[in-house]
Amino acid sequence: MKFGFFDDVRKEYVITTPKTPLPWINYLGSQDFFGLISNTGGGYCFYKDAKLLRLTRYRYNNCPMDLGGRYYYIKDGDTVWNPGWMPVKTELDSYECRHGLGYSVFTSSKNGLQAVLTAFVPVSDTCEIHRLKLTNQSDAPKNIDLFSFIEFCLWNAQDDMSNFQRNFSTGEVEVIGSTIYHKTEYRERRNHYAVYSVNKPIEGFDTIRDSFLGFYNSFDDPDVVREGKSKNSVAHGWQPIGSHHLKAELAPGKSEEFIFVLGYCENPRDQKFEAPNVINKKPANELLAKYQTSEQAQAALDELHAYWDKLLSTYNVNTADEKLNRLVNVWNQYQCMVTFNMSRSASFYESGLGRGMGFRDSCQDLLGFVHLIPERARERIIDIANTQFEDGSTYHQYQPLTKKGNADIGGGFNDDPLWLVACTYAYICETGDFSILDEPCAFDSDFSKAVPLMDHLRRSFNYTATHLGPHGLPLIGRADWNDCLNLNCFSEEPGESFQTFGPSEGPVAESVFIAGMFVKYGKQYAELCQAQGLEDETADVLGKVDQMIKVVEDAGWDGEWFVRAYDAFSNPIGSKVCEEGQIYIEPQGMCVMAGIGVEDGKAAKALKSVEEKLDSKFGIVLLQPAYTKYHVEIGEITSYPPGYKENAGIFCHNNPWIVCAETELGHGDRAFDVFRKTCPVYLEEISEVHRTEPYVYCQMVAGKDAPTFGEGKNSWLTGTAAWTFTAISQYILGIQPTLKGLGINPCIPSGWNGYTLDRVYRGVTYHITIDNAAGAQKGVACLTVDGVAVPGCVIPAEMVAGKQEVAVVVTMG
Ligand code: GLC
Ligand code: GLC
C-alpha cells in the first residue's frame, strides 16, 4: 500500500494521508539552524546542537508517537482543525503534505476553507518560517479565528525533561506587539533568546501552557481555542509557550497570508540588556524585518530552491528506470546531506540528547557528500583528525559544539583509525587537493602537538599494523564496525554499557573485518605515499598489506566464506564450527572489496555463500543462524531477539558492501538485485510493511527470523546513505573519482542498454554516455573524450584541464 507518491519534477514526496504507518519526516535547515518536521506538523527545532540549544519542546516516544510541533488551530464557526491534521484530528476534506528539499508544504481544506502552510529555514538565517495562507473557497463570507502554538524548550533538552525542581521556576518571557520573546536563563549565563512572531497585529496571545490548554487538557482541545479568545497570559516559571490569536475576515474567493517567524537570537555579552532585565531586541528586530511580507518570504524560499538545485547538479543520471533516477539524483544525495548536518544526533529515533559525532560514522558519511560540499568536507576531516590520539587510536565520538573527543565513551574501537584514511583518500580523489595532507592537525585537541594530516594517516595505519593478535589479525578492542560485537566485554549485570564495560586493552580478540579494512585502506594509504614520492614507505606499507592478505587467506578463511573474528579465547566467530552465528555479512563485503581472494576464487565462493545463507527478499541479513541466547563472550549482538538490529536483522549499511563486492567480480545483475532490495523507492508499494519513509533509507529492516520481517526502523541518520550512494554512483553506474582523474567503469545489469550522466568533477562538467548495446555486465571496450580515444578507464585530469565541459562516450563490451 502506498501513502503518497513521488513528484519528480518538484523533487517532492507527496503524502496523501496524515495516517502514515510512522511519522514520515523531513529536515529543515542547511547551516546552523535546523528543524525536524513530520507529515502532521510534529517535531522541533534547534540552533547548532540538538541537546544544548533546543528552541521547542518535543516528547519522544509519546502517545501518540509524534506529539509536539508547530500547531496552527483554525476555528471556523464550531469547527476546529489543523493544516497538518494533528493534534485536533478533525477529519479533513483534503490533505496533502509535500516534503521537499529543506521545506515542507501542507495543503488541506475543511468546509470550504483551504490552508497552505509552508515551513522552511532560510539558507542564511537562524529561524523557521511558517507561511500560512487561508483561502475562502466557499461562496459565503467566513470569519476565521487562528491560533498559533509552540511550546518552548528551556534550551538544554536533557535538563528540560528531568530537572523539574529547578526549571518549573525559571521560565520567563516578554511580549511586545506581535512578538513573543522566550528568555529563560537569559538573566544569568545565556546571551541568547528565542522569538516567535507574526507579521500582523494580533488579537491576543498566551505564553502559559496551562492557560492556553487548560490544566487537564491535551493539545487536541485547548481551552483558548474552544473559547475563541486568548488570555494574554505571561509566563513566570512552569511551561512557557508561544501562542498568537489572529482573525481573518474572508469574502468568498479571498485569501489572507500570515508569516510566522520562530528564531534564535544572540547578543554580545556586554549588550544583553536594553534596560534592567529587559532583553536587547536588536538582533530580533533585524531578523523579523526580513520576513514581514510574502515577497520577502518567497525570495527566501527561492534562494533555498536555488541552493539545492546547485548542489544536486553535481551528479545527475538518466537511466530507463525512473525510480533509480529519483533515488540517485534527489533522495539519496539529500539524505547524505542530512547525515552531514545531523550525524546521528536528531531524528525521530535519535533523541538529540545522546551521541555526538561518531568518528567512524563521520568518516563514512563523508563518502556520500564530499562531491557536493568539498570545502566543508575538508573542514570536517580536519575536525575529526584533531581528536585523534598520538598513538593513532581515536576517540569513538566527539561533540559538534566543542569539537572535542567524548571522554565518557573514550576509545578502543579498533576500526576507527582506518576510516580516517578512507575519507581523506575520497576527498583527494574528488578534489585533487593534496594540500590537505600538509594541514597541521592536533592530537586530542591539543594544538601545541599538531602535525600534518599525513602523519595522522600514518599513525592510523601503524596503529592497526602494530596491534595484532595471536593469528596476526588486527585486535578488535571494544568493537569494530559492529558496535555490538563486544568480544572483550563479558558483561553480566544489567545496565552495564556493552560499549565501555570491560578492558579495552590487553585482550586478544581479533577482527577479520578490520583485516579487510587494513588491506583496502592500506592500499589507498600506499597510493597517497607514492603520490608524495615516499618510495620506501610505499613499499613498506604494501609489504604489510600483502602479509595481512596471507593471514586472512589462512586464519580468516573458513572454507566457504570469511570468518568474522576470533573471541578472547581465540575461538572463531562466524565459522561453520559455531553453533549460532556461523556466517556474517561484514567480512565477506569488506574482504572482497579489498580484493582478497578475487584471483583464487575465494571471493566468488564467499559471495555465493552470502547468497545462499544470508539473502532474503528484503535484503541480506547480518548473520545466520541468529543468536537465540545471550553469549557473554560475544556481547550486545546476542542481546537482541533474533532478526532485530545486529542479531540477523537486515542492517542496511552493510548491504552496499556486498553490492560493491559483486561489482568487483563483474556481477552486474546480482549487484543491482542486492541494491534494489533495501532501496526505499522500490519499497514504496509495500509501505504498510516497510513502514518508514519511502524516500530515505533506514538503518535496519527486521530480518527473516523476526515476527515483523520487512519492517524498517531508524530512518534517516545512518551510514547506509553514504554507502548506498557510493555503491550506486561509483560501483554500479561506475563514475569513480581517482587520484589521477575521473574513472568510468560501470557494472550494470546485462539488460540495460545504457544511460547518460552529468558529473561535475574538479570544475569540469562531464557529459557521459554509456552504450551497452553489447549487453555486458562489466567492461569498457572503448572510451572517448570529445572524440579522442583514452586507453583504460581513467580520464587523466590533465587531458581536460582548462575545459568547462567535455563529452565522454563509453562503449561497454
Ligand atoms: C550504528 C552506528 C555505527 C555502527 C553500526 C553497527 O549504525 O552508528 O557506528 O557501525 O551501528 O553497529
Ligand atoms: C547500540 C546500537 C548500535 C549502535 C550503538 C552505538 O549498540 O544497537 O546499532 O551502533 O548503540 O553506540
Side-chain angles (χ1 to χ4, degrees):
M1 193 199 295
K2 299 210 295 182
F3 298 84
F5 60 92
F6 286 92
D7 181 337
D8 293 330
V9 174
R10 297 168 64 152
K11 304 189 179 85
E12 294 170 338
Y13 192 79
V14 188
I15 302 168
T16 49
T17 167
K19 295 172 204 166
T20 45
L22 285 166
W24 283 5
I25 76 159
N26 193 16
Y27 284 86
L28 313 176
S30 42
Q31 302 283 340
D32 292 329
F33 191 94
F34 298 99
L36 289 72
I37 187 162
S38 74
N39 61 308
T40 58
Y44 59 94
C45 55
F46 58 91
Y47 176 70
K48 285 191 177 171
D49 187 309
K51 176 177 175 183
L52 298 175
L53 292 171
R54 197 179 292 193
L55 272 79
T56 55
R57 184 173 289 160
Y58 185 75
R59 293 170 174 73
Y60 272 97
N61 198 4
N62 212 292
C63 305
M65 179 105 160
D66 176 22
L67 204 62
R70 312 105 178 124
Y71 291 146
Y72 291 92
Y73 297 86
I74 296 166
K75 187 175 168 76
D76 178 7
D78 290 337
T79 307
V80 176
W81 57 285
N82 310 100
W85 184 61
M86 285 279 278
V88 177
K89 295 199 284 184
T90 300
E91 270 325 299
L92 301 172
D93 296 336
S94 71
Y95 161 94
E96 181 187 273
C97 166
R98 288 178 173 262
H99 283 324
L101 305 177
Y103 66 91
S104 293
V105 185
F106 301 81
T107 304
S108 41
S109 61
K110 181 75 186 171
N111 297 345
L113 182 73
Q114 185 198 55
V116 181
L117 175 64
T118 307
F120 67 100
V121 172
V123 176
S124 44
D125 271 316
T126 58
C127 63
E128 273 186 20
I129 307 291
H130 307 156
R131 234 176 128 174
L132 178 60
K133 185 174 183 181
L134 300 178
T135 304
N136 184 356
Q137 297 178 324
S138 76
D139 45 21
K142 280 183 179 288
N143 285 315
I144 306 297
D145 288 289
L146 172 68
F147 296 89
S148 66
F149 175 82
I150 53 116
E151 186 178 11
F152 292 111
C153 178
L154 307 190
W155 299 112
N156 179 328
Q158 174 97 52
D159 202 64
D160 183 67
M161 282 288 159
S162 51
N163 190 7
F164 304 116
Q165 62 79 25
R166 168 177 164 83
N167 64 33
F168 281 177
S169 293
T170 54
E172 289 190 294
V173 297
E174 288 177 30
V175 183
I176 310 241
S178 300
T179 305
I180 295 164
Y181 302 83
H182 173 231
K183 59 171 189 176
T184 300
E185 290 191 343
Y186 191 83
R187 60 168 57 243
E188 25 123 353
R189 290 157 297 174
R190 295 192 184 275
N191 60 339
H192 46 259
Y193 57 87
V195 279
Y196 187 38
S197 183
V198 58
N199 67 336
K200 301 257 161 91
I202 56 174
E203 302 289 316
F205 64 86
D206 278 288
T207 64
I208 299 180
R209 193 179 75 199
D210 291 344
S211 304
F212 179 76
L213 294 178
F215 192 73
Y216 289 99
N217 292 340
S218 182
F219 297 137
D220 60 352
D221 185 26
D223 274 354
V224 159
V225 179
R226 197 176 340 97
E227 288 156 20
K229 197 171 173 0
S230 291
K231 295 178 182 160
N232 298 342
S233 57
V234 177
H236 300 283
W238 298 108
Q239 299 89 2
I241 61 150
S243 172
H244 309 92
H245 178 197
L246 294 132
K247 279 188 185 291
E249 284 181 26
L250 296 173
K254 290 290 176 219
S255 300
E256 180 153 0
E257 184 164 80
F258 303 91
I259 298 171
F260 294 87
V261 178
L262 171 59
Y264 170 93
C265 301
E266 205 174 87
N267 274 317
R269 289 209 168 269
D270 57 352
Q271 293 165 36
K272 279 174 67 171
F273 299 101
E274 58 188 42
N277 273 332
V278 177
I279 55 180
N280 173 358
K281 311 209 171 42
K282 190 163 164 269
N285 293 339
E286 284 168 5
L287 176 69
L288 297 177
K290 293 186 185 173
Y291 303 102
Q292 287 304 304
T293 68
S294 299
E295 291 70 29
Q296 288 174 311
Q298 186 58 45
L301 193 55
D302 291 344
E303 191 188 351
L304 184 67
H305 295 325
Y307 167 83
W308 278 106
D309 285 346
K310 178 155 188 301
L311 274 187
L312 296 184
S313 63
T314 313
Y315 193 115
N316 207 279
V317 72
N318 187 16
T319 70
D321 179 347
E322 63 166 14
K323 291 192 167 83
L324 184 66
N325 298 344
R326 69 170 65 114
L327 176 92
V328 174
N329 296 339
V330 183
W331 298 99
N332 199 354
Q333 298 194 65
Y334 185 51
Q335 186 175 2
C336 287
M337 282 302 294
V338 171
T339 64
F340 165 72
N341 287 325
M342 297 289 126
S343 189
R344 303 293 172 271
S345 68
S347 72
F348 272 48
Y349 308 87
E350 300 280 5
S351 63
L353 305 177
R355 301 194 261 170
M357 315 281 292
F359 191 97
R360 78 159 82 87
D361 293 341
S362 302
C363 292
Q364 290 173 88
D365 289 348
L366 196 132
L367 306 178
F369 60 73
V370 62
H371 66 297
L372 297 170
I373 42 167
E375 299 81 17
R376 296 175 81 186
R378 191 182 204 275
E379 285 169 28
R380 178 65 57 85
I381 292 170
I382 291 165
D383 285 349
I384 297 170
N386 282 333
T387 68
Q388 190 172 27
F389 294 111
E390 276 179 274
D391 71 352
S393 68
T394 77
Y395 280 107
H396 195 43
Q397 293 164 0
Y398 71 98
Q399 273 325 115
L401 264 191
T402 63
K403 298 188 173 175
K404 290 197 170 138
N406 287 353
D408 49 347
I409 181 141
F413 295 77
N414 281 353
D415 64 317
D416 277 329
L418 287 170
W419 292 115
L420 186 62
V421 176
C423 69
T424 307
Y425 181 82
Y427 168 79
I428 300 175
C429 286
E430 179 64 35
T431 59
D433 170 21
F434 277 92
S435 77
I436 191 174
L437 296 174
D438 304 326
E439 259 335 299
C441 300
F443 289 112
D444 194 1
S445 304
D446 179 350
F447 288 89
S448 71
K449 295 182 176 158
V451 299
L453 178 63
M454 183 66 185
D455 200 35
H456 281 257
L457 303 190
R458 181 170 294 124
R459 292 180 196 215
S460 285
F461 180 81
N462 287 338
Y463 181 84
T464 316
T466 54
H467 287 73
L468 305 177
H471 295 90
L473 291 161
L475 292 171
I476 198 169
R478 294 199 179 281
D480 61 17
W481 173 86
N482 191 333
D483 269 335
C484 303
L485 194 60
N486 318 115
L487 303 180
N488 299 313
C489 171
F490 295 94
S491 172
E492 300 273 15
E493 295 300 321
E496 283 164 356
S497 161
F498 288 107
Q499 252 97 68
T500 56
F501 186 73
S504 73
E505 303 238 356
V508 295
E510 301 165 279
S511 164
V512 177
F513 175 79
I514 302 179
M517 284 185 76
F518 184 79
V519 173
K520 180 169 167 60
Y521 299 118
K523 287 178 187 169
Q524 295 185 350
Y525 178 61
E527 274 188 60
L528 295 178
C529 291
Q530 181 138 47
Q532 306 250 90
L534 303 167
E535 297 301 334
D536 292 348
E537 191 175 0
T538 308
D540 178 58
V541 168
L542 289 176
K544 287 180 173 135
V545 164
D546 279 343
Q547 172 57 24
M548 187 63 77
I549 294 174
K550 289 202 186 74
V551 171
V552 173
E553 286 175 341
D554 177 16
W557 182 247
D558 200 50
E560 301 288 327
W561 58 79
F562 293 100
V563 178
R564 176 65 176 86
Y566 284 92
D567 71 13
F569 310 104
S570 283
N571 294 319
I573 303 283
S575 154
K576 57 180 179 291
V577 305
C578 304
E579 201 187 318
E580 310 191 304
Q582 293 175 341
I583 170 170
Y584 279 65
I585 188 174
E586 303 101 311
Q588 322 312 329
M590 190 51 79
C591 290
V592 179
M593 279 199 288
I596 304 175
V598 171
E599 269 150 39
D600 66 6
K602 286 194 181 72
K605 254 191 196 166
L607 295 183
K608 202 76 209 148
S609 299
V610 168
E611 190 168 352
E612 281 166 18
K613 297 190 177 292
L614 298 179
D615 211 357
S616 82
K617 67 174 170 176
F618 294 122
I620 298 169
V621 301
L622 196 146
L623 60 85
Q624 280 291 291
Y627 293 103
T628 58
K629 51 182 185 287
Y630 178 57
H631 296 252
V632 70
E633 78 286 6
I634 302 182
E636 179 173 354
I637 191 167
T638 66
S639 75
Y640 292 107
Y644 291 107
K645 295 282 286 184
E646 285 91 336
N647 185 14
I650 298 157
F651 221 81
C652 299
H653 186 140
N654 48 40
N655 272 248
W657 295 343
I658 299 298
V659 174
C660 299
E662 291 285 1
T663 68
E664 293 291 347
L665 303 188
H667 301 160
D669 287 317
R670 170 71 182 155
F672 193 68
D673 191 43
V674 174
F675 176 79
R676 267 183 64 117
K677 285 186 182 181
T678 55
C679 183
V681 301
Y682 295 100
L683 300 170
E684 190 191 10
E685 305 282 345
I686 54 154
S687 288
E688 79 284 9
V689 177
H690 189 56
R691 299 187 69 198
T692 50
E693 297 92 332
Y695 42 92
V696 289
Y697 282 93
C698 55
Q699 180 204 51
M700 194 276 294
V701 173
K704 55 191 177 187
D705 301 287
T708 60
F709 181 36
E711 178 190 54
K713 283 193 193 124
N714 198 0
S715 54
W716 282 98
L717 304 184
T718 159
T720 311
W723 270 108
T724 51
F725 188 70
T726 303
I728 188 70
S729 66
Q730 298 193 25
Y731 288 78
I732 293 180
L733 299 172
I735 310 303
Q736 300 162 355
T738 73
L739 293 183
K740 300 197 165 67
L742 194 63
I744 306 184
N745 191 7
C747 183
I748 56 176
S750 49
W752 287 14
N753 289 330
Y755 50 94
T756 58
L757 202 147
D758 286 333
R759 174 69 155 93
V760 182
Y761 177 70
R762 302 191 191 173
V764 181
T765 302
Y766 291 71
H767 302 288
I768 303 165
T769 304
I770 310 284
D771 174 357
N772 191 30
Q777 296 186 52
K778 195 171 184 178
V780 170
C782 170
L783 191 165
T784 62
V785 179
D786 287 340
V788 180
V790 176
C793 307
V794 178
I795 303 166
E798 309 84 71
M799 187 174 171
V800 298
K803 298 196 179 177
Q804 298 223 307
E805 37 191 343
V806 290
V808 179
V809 179
V810 172
T811 312
M812 291 179 66

